[in-house]
Amino acid sequence: MISLLKTTLGRLGLTAVTAAALMTTLDVKPAQAQAAYGSYIGAGGSLGLNDDDDGDGDGLGLVISGRYKFLALPISVRAQAFLLNGDLALVPTVSYDFPISFQTDLYLGAGVSLPTGNDASPVGDQTAFVLQPGIDFAVPASNLVVFGNAIFAFDAFEDGGGTATAVQAGVGWNFGN
């Protein structure tokens, strides 16, 4: 029995050493999940969850969303434009993308909200620092990307109200990797 155990352990050891030498020679690296899509532009709905002291900023609106993916890095540049609920507001962010599968990325972005007027949008009515957690899902066998995110704009209302919170969801068209 001990002889059989020694033989088995010896073969396992020889197999492990051979595999390690082969991996070192071939420079094999472990597989990592990497999203199978790149940049997109899309549209969807937006819901402002907070308002200022004048009652502006909450409610439904339209969002135009875009993403430019740097394929060599887990970094994306994103932008959203908020329409039809207060004045136009633009929100550019830079995000760190966490690939979950070949179709799905979770991300966390940071940037700034840039309002264009005095009427509060879902992200406020004054320039503010924003955090943007979200998710992108590439629909298999198509160029469609489903996106969803939240934007937290800190000190975003000129007339009080504090942090503006908006949630968005929509569909985009993948235009390249």
Side-chain angles (χ1 to χ4, degrees):
M1 182 68 170
I2 293 185
S3 170
L4 179 61
L5 184 58
K6 283 183 180 179
T7 303
T8 303
L9 288 176
R11 287 183 183 158
L12 286 174
L14 181 59
T15 302
V17 168
T18 303
L22 185 58
M23 287 175 63
T24 302
T25 302
L26 298 176
D27 193 30
V28 175
K29 301 207 179 350
Q32 293 180 347
Q34 199 172 30
Y37 61 93
S39 305
Y40 67 83
I41 189 161
S46 173
L47 175 63
L49 301 178
N50 305 88
D51 57 16
D52 64 8
D53 291 344
D54 295 332
D56 297 326
D58 60 351
L60 296 173
L62 175 68
V63 66
I64 306 296
S65 184
R67 170 191 186 193
Y68 179 80
K69 171 83 172 136
F70 296 101
L71 291 180
L73 302 170
I75 305 270
S76 295
V77 175
R78 299 172 185 273
Q80 293 193 319
F82 291 86
L83 310 163
L84 306 180
N85 183 3
D87 285 330
L88 170 72
L90 303 174
V91 181
T93 60
V94 175
S95 69
Y96 186 85
D97 306 330
F98 304 93
I100 302 301
S101 71
F102 287 110
Q103 286 86 28
T104 308
D105 268 355
L106 292 178
Y107 64 88
L108 179 60
V112 64
S113 67
L114 303 167
T116 62
N118 294 327
D119 290 336
S121 73
V123 291
D125 59 1
Q126 68 180 6
T127 302
F129 171 75
V130 302
L131 288 178
Q132 180 187 36
I135 187 168
D136 291 330
F137 175 75
V139 178
S142 77
N143 283 342
L144 296 179
V145 176
V146 177
F147 65 87
N149 63 62
I151 291 181
F152 302 98
F154 299 94
D155 192 28
F157 294 112
E158 190 174 284
D159 294 327
T163 300
T165 304
V167 293
Q168 294 70 237
V171 177
W173 183 261
N174 180 6
F175 61 84
N177 287 331

